[in-house]
Amino acid sequence: MTPLDRRIRAAVDVDAVVGLARDLVQIRSENPPGQETEVVEHLRGVFADLGLGRGDVVEATPGRQNLIVGTGDGAASGKPVLLVNGHLDTVPVRPQAWRHDPFGGQVHDGRLYGRGSADMKGGIAAAITALQVCRSIGVDLPCEVVFHLVADEELGGEHGTGALVERGLIAADACLDPEPTGLKLCLAERGLLFARITTRGVPAHGSEPSKGRSAIITAAAISQVLHDNEFPQQPHPLLGTTTCNVGMIRGGSGPNVVPEECELRIDRRVLPGDTEDGVVRGIVDRISSLGLTAGTDYEIDVERFCEPSAIDAADPFVDQVATSFTTMTGREPGTTGLPFTTDARFMRNQLGIPSVVFGPGKLELAHVVDEYVEIESLMTAVAVYAHLFATFTGTKRARDDADNQASHSGVAGQTV
Ligand SMILES: [Zn+2]
């Protein structure tokens, strides 16, 4: 451990990180409906107190605010840019089910309770506190740290990171996403495809079902070949296999009519490398084993596709985060995959920015009743993030990109 490492460790202030996480939990930002404005306003004050100014608010959709705050001039400074992308929205709560006040930020038995404590106000508080640590011990950062604290991740990111991508506002050499991963390095995540399958039948009087063809029976057969069945695909080393859930069914017009129409809604989770067309083809192939033809016996409509994403385990940024973890904890970090998507996919897939999802709080505590984050894991995260901020000098690939970019546009560090 170098003197700098020791100074970082010593400067981690439990009251600072818990206090900030608690403040953020106490400001409701559930999505739906999507109400990030108040938490953005609070954070602008926090950043101003840190000497970073109040940042820029990007309101791509009225009432849906995203906050951009950096330590300097961003890519224009010539320093590598380390992006911290975190979402400010949470899933809603049903307070009756909670033992702890979901918006109280109560501390109990080494845990901070509340909606968003794990997913992901705790991680955001840890990253901001890490910057505070670096400043308090006078580290001259070798990089620009830029925070994108966004809306709408929980419902797909259209008003949040997606809007920032669309406006060309994201340029970085690497991205840290402090979602709850139990302090493991998350290198891959499954994507999803939601689809509506509508089956067609031939109506008949309910007293003579053999004279018709039931759309419900067809839908039931389709459910059986799709639900919780494996699709022919190599398992991913971090993500395992794909899945398919038939989550909704609706059909028929009355007990005395052979149903003419039935609708299923499915959630198919997919792996890196899967495309929307390929996944739909796989579903159609599976249904064709029943002798059913798309377009005639049923229709399939894609409602949403969130692409899967991954970072190469050999990417230098993975090693940099791992080094910061090991330096601060004395342990090797574990690696993991997420069964659901995060905003990291925008950076990985659309911008080619190497992105690691790594944060305090257990993955399985996201979205649950009595959500909490362990205070110990918040403190570890602060130390690891501070070390990363204090040592990030770019990645070789990013530097090559920057050289290419600079010769075209004069902007260093921008990744296309
Ligand atoms: Zn999250």
Side-chain angles (χ1 to χ4, degrees):
M1 213 179 235
T2 65
L4 171 68
D5 302 339
R6 268 192 290 274
R7 272 160 52 220
I8 290 173
R9 279 265 286 259
V12 175
D13 177 356
V14 63
D15 292 335
V17 68
V18 172
L20 179 54
R22 185 199 293 125
D23 290 347
L24 298 181
V25 165
Q26 286 175 344
I27 304 171
R28 297 177 71 149
S29 54
E30 295 148 280
N31 181 22
Q35 41 185 206
E36 298 88 359
T37 312
E38 207 184 322
V39 70
V40 163
E41 191 52 35
H42 180 79
L43 283 166
R44 298 187 83 186
V46 170
F47 283 112
D49 289 346
L50 254 173
L52 301 185
R54 289 171 54 78
D56 297 319
V57 173
V58 178
E59 194 167 323
T61 313
R64 307 303 299 273
Q65 294 193 342
N66 302 280
L67 178 61
I68 298 181
V69 185
T71 52
D73 300 329
S77 71
K79 287 183 180 178
V81 174
L82 177 58
L83 174 65
V84 178
N85 176 292
H87 66 86
L88 298 171
D89 58 325
T90 71
V91 290
V93 292
R94 226 169 40 85
Q96 317 83 284
W98 284 59
R99 277 188 310 124
H100 298 268
D101 178 355
F103 306 106
Q106 294 163 352
V107 173
H108 191 68
D109 278 346
R111 297 166 170 178
L112 170 73
Y113 284 88
R115 175 56 84 224
S117 56
D119 183 16
M120 59 178 292
K121 291 173 171 177
I124 289 171
I128 295 171
T129 309
L131 194 59
Q132 201 173 18
V133 164
C134 290
R135 292 173 89 80
S136 72
I137 60 175
V139 176
D140 186 13
L141 293 180
C143 59
E144 298 285 356
V145 179
V146 177
F147 286 84
H148 286 184
L149 302 177
V150 301
D152 199 35
E153 189 270 353
E154 295 292 359
L155 290 182
E158 180 192 346
H159 308 296
T161 303
L164 300 186
V165 172
E166 214 155 77
R167 292 175 174 218
L169 293 173
I170 305 181
D173 297 273
C175 173
L176 170 74
D177 187 342
E179 290 265 13
T181 64
L183 296 174
K184 288 183 178 172
L185 273 55
C186 175
L187 309 183
E189 55 192 47
R190 298 201 296 181
L192 64 82
L193 179 131
F194 290 170
R196 186 186 300 264
I197 297 173
T198 310
T199 59
R200 305 267 169 239
V202 177
H205 196 283
S207 64
E208 293 186 294
S210 62
K211 294 211 165 145
R213 186 158 51 85
S214 166
I216 286 182
I217 294 300
T218 306
I222 291 175
S223 300
Q224 289 211 317
V225 295
L226 294 182
H227 183 79
D228 203 21
N229 266 320
E230 280 184 18
F231 287 76
Q233 199 166 9
Q234 277 295 98
H236 185 279
L238 293 173
L239 299 170
T241 56
T242 63
T243 55
C244 186
N245 177 56
V246 179
M248 291 180 79
I249 184 165
R250 196 184 55 175
S253 55
N256 56 348
V257 182
V258 174
E260 188 175 13
E261 187 175 294
C262 184
E263 179 184 285
L264 301 171
R265 293 177 73 192
I266 66 167
D267 170 359
R268 170 92 158 77
R269 299 293 162 135
V270 303
L271 298 179
D274 283 339
T275 62
E276 181 176 336
D277 286 351
V279 172
V280 171
R281 244 191 336 270
I283 293 168
V284 169
D285 282 353
R286 177 57 60 93
I287 297 174
S288 70
S289 70
L290 297 166
L292 298 172
T293 307
T296 311
D297 301 306
Y298 71 96
E299 261 112 56
I300 178 163
D301 299 297
V302 174
E303 296 182 289
R304 180 188 292 186
F305 182 72
C306 289
E307 72 274 27
S309 75
I311 178 173
D312 185 348
D315 191 286
F317 186 55
V318 175
D319 194 49
Q320 285 163 326
V321 182
T323 299
S324 290
F325 181 87
T326 303
T327 307
M328 287 294 116
T329 65
R331 289 179 279 125
E332 291 291 319
T335 54
T336 189
L338 288 176
F340 47 78
T341 61
T342 73
D343 275 357
R345 73 182 189 282
F346 289 104
M347 272 63 76
R348 288 172 176 161
N349 293 346
Q350 297 192 31
L351 301 167
I353 298 172
S355 303
V356 171
V357 182
F358 165 81
K362 294 189 182 115
L363 169 63
E364 58 271 24
L365 290 172
H367 301 190
V368 301
V369 167
D370 288 317
E371 176 180 348
Y372 68 83
V373 63
E374 309 88 344
I375 290 170
E376 186 72 41
S377 79
L378 284 178
M379 291 180 62
T380 304
V382 173
V384 175
Y385 297 158
H387 187 271
L388 186 64
F389 297 165
T391 57
F392 182 74
T393 52
T395 64
K396 186 179 173 317
R397 198 173 79 185
R399 279 196 295 274
D400 291 346
D401 284 350
D403 289 346
N404 292 336
Q405 275 290 312
S407 61
H408 294 301
S409 65
V411 177
Q414 187 174 345
T415 309
V416 288

